[in-house]
Amino acid sequence: MDTAILLALAIGGAFGVALDRVGATNPNLIVGMLSLRGLHLMKTILFAIGVGSVLMFGGQMLGLVEVGHMSVKAAYSGVFIGGLLLGAGWAATGYCPGTGLAAAASGRRDAVFFALGGLLGAAAYMLSYSWVKTTGALEEIAGGKATLGAVPGAGYPALVPGAPGDMIGLALGAAFILIAFALPDRLRRSDVAVPAE
Amino acid sequence: MVLPKGVLDWRLGGLLLGLVFFLAVLLVKPIGVSTQFVILDGLLWGAVDSTVVTESVDAKSGYASSNAYLDKSGGKYAASVANPLNYSFVFVLALMAGAGLSSWLRAPLGTAERTAPAIWRANFGDSPWGRYTAAFAAGFVVLYGARLAGGCTSGHMMSGMMQTAVSGYIFAAGAFASAITTALILYQREA
């Protein structure tokens, strides 16, 4: 077995364990976050993005993390439209592609149906791709594969040319961590009346 | 809010999840999942029609496809379909194994929860097929959207925002705007 497969097993396995242990495979917690009743997962996600960002950009600045491992996706209007579609289905069921598969593996039968619907949805995109391309929704905007600032050595265009991308990454990472701490546990009051003492 | 058995406090959980996203980019590349739905579709398609993916000396990846999406970017996806034992596909299989094992060790689900989550039952009743139909339809919309966007919650939102990718912020804006609106409309009752 080559190294790539071993890494896939180790990192993929760890990702699956992490998704289960933070509660991301549980639709009750996902819907709780999206209906603003319980922000446990919102705080978890913001904290995770912050930790990942600080470690990655901090490591790059110290020369410990290979900048070439970054992989920035292109921006085009379909990214926003696709986000709208994904968000609707995500909220309706409490599953996104990764957590849906993880939930199916945890014994949630409804998630198996989600995954089957997902296979059909992906197939529908494969068949409609040529048409989608003609609509212009895939034409790059905002610099295409751009980062907010210029990350040294990464070779991606910057949304704000000249801005130090690694410093911005570090600062935003710290900001995500602060927001995670500052967010309350819930933004809406419980609908269930608490009985009087 | 009372968390289900064995679910980590957000600080510990966020640290764990953040470390996994960091390790992925340190050792290999940023995490992503939704592309593998396309690869599995390609495998299934190839099983009934062997001409879908073919070797090609002209393609950058060495493989071409009669499907324009599998054929794009020099046949990148076509090559993954031809060789499914690659990093990204095995990653998703391992994700499922890890989540399944972790959840089984933590707290096996009850029968009702395995059919439909409590929040769904509180709002839409106990009918299994109502939930299954909704989950199937939502799966279709989610994966169509993810492929149109070029990534999902893992690839665009988590990995993207972590790298300060402009596309990650655009995706997150769209996904949260529609997800919060949808959740507020659909889920009037708490579980």
Side-chain angles (χ1 to χ4, degrees):
Chain A
M1 219 181 316
D2 63 32
T3 324
I5 301 302
L6 287 176
L7 283 168
L9 290 171
I11 306 172
F15 186 44
V17 171
L19 285 177
D20 173 68
R21 294 289 157 144
V22 304
T25 61
N26 186 327
N28 298 305
L29 296 182
I30 295 279
V31 171
M33 161 176 78
L34 297 174
S35 59
L36 311 176
R37 290 184 174 111
L39 300 187
H40 161 79
L41 274 176
M42 191 75 255
K43 290 161 81 81
T44 306
I45 291 170
L46 288 168
F47 193 46
I49 295 176
V51 166
S53 211
V54 166
L55 289 177
M56 190 189 80
F57 284 108
Q60 284 182 5
M61 291 163 88
L62 295 171
L64 302 171
V65 175
E66 177 61 56
V67 180
H69 282 190
M70 283 179 73
S71 176
V72 172
K73 294 174 188 282
Y76 47 87
S77 59
V79 172
F80 188 75
I81 303 165
L84 290 175
L85 289 171
L86 179 138
W90 186 31
T93 46
Y95 297 131
C96 58
T99 61
L101 291 175
S106 328
R108 289 187 183 272
R109 276 188 220 109
D110 56 336
V112 175
F113 286 89
F114 175 86
L116 291 174
L119 281 175
L120 198 64
Y125 187 72
M126 288 163 72
L127 297 176
S128 61
Y129 172 72
S130 298
W131 167 77
V132 171
K133 223 167 140 182
T134 64
T135 65
L138 304 183
E139 269 153 47
E140 295 190 352
I141 55 168
K145 293 183 177 180
T147 46
L148 295 175
V151 179
Y156 293 111
L159 186 67
V160 185
D166 45 2
M167 296 293 289
I168 291 177
L170 212 52
L172 278 175
F176 278 120
I177 293 173
L178 286 177
I179 298 169
F181 275 93
L183 270 186
D185 287 336
R186 59 187 296 146
L187 289 175
R188 290 170 72 196
R189 280 195 305 155
S190 176
D191 315 334
V192 184
V194 179
E197 295 280 340
Chain B
M1 170 172 176
V2 184
L3 293 176
K5 190 178 165 227
V7 168
L8 299 169
D9 165 80
W10 69 266
R11 295 172 200 85
L12 204 54
L15 187 65
L16 173 68
L17 196 59
L19 280 176
V20 174
F21 271 90
F22 168 66
L23 280 177
V25 82
L26 172 72
L27 299 171
V28 191
K29 61 174 184 176
I31 287 176
V33 175
S34 67
T35 306
Q36 304 317 311
F37 280 81
V38 172
I39 305 305
L40 183 52
D41 275 333
L43 283 170
L44 295 171
W45 193 353
V48 288
D49 176 3
S50 59
T51 63
V52 171
V53 169
T54 48
E55 283 192 57
S56 159
V57 282
D58 303 326
K60 198 177 139 204
S61 70
Y63 292 89
S65 175
S66 53
N67 176 261
Y69 192 58
L70 290 178
D71 196 50
K72 87 179 179 93
S73 313
K76 193 173 61 173
Y77 295 159
S80 296
V81 171
N83 172 29
L85 210 64
N86 61 65
Y87 174 83
S88 301
F89 196 72
V90 174
F91 179 94
V92 171
L93 298 179
L95 178 173
M96 295 178 71
L101 189 67
S102 170
S103 123
W104 182 67
L105 291 171
R106 184 170 54 81
L109 297 167
T111 313
E113 189 67 18
R114 285 162 71 103
T115 305
I119 185 76
W120 175 273
R121 282 176 276 134
N123 285 275
F124 305 107
D126 291 339
S127 154
W129 285 99
R131 170 66 182 177
Y132 295 161
T133 309
F136 186 86
F140 184 98
V141 174
V142 165
L143 263 300
Y144 191 91
R147 285 298 86 214
L148 171 59
C152 61
T153 333
S154 308
H156 254 317
M157 197 186 287
M158 303 276 306
S159 300
M161 285 169 73
M162 170 183 145
Q163 300 179 89
T164 70
V166 175
S167 55
Y169 282 89
I170 295 174
F171 177 83
F176 272 110
S178 94
I180 292 175
T181 311
T182 307
L184 291 176
I185 295 169
L186 286 183
Y187 294 94
Q188 303 281 340
R189 269 181 237 136
E190 247 180 297

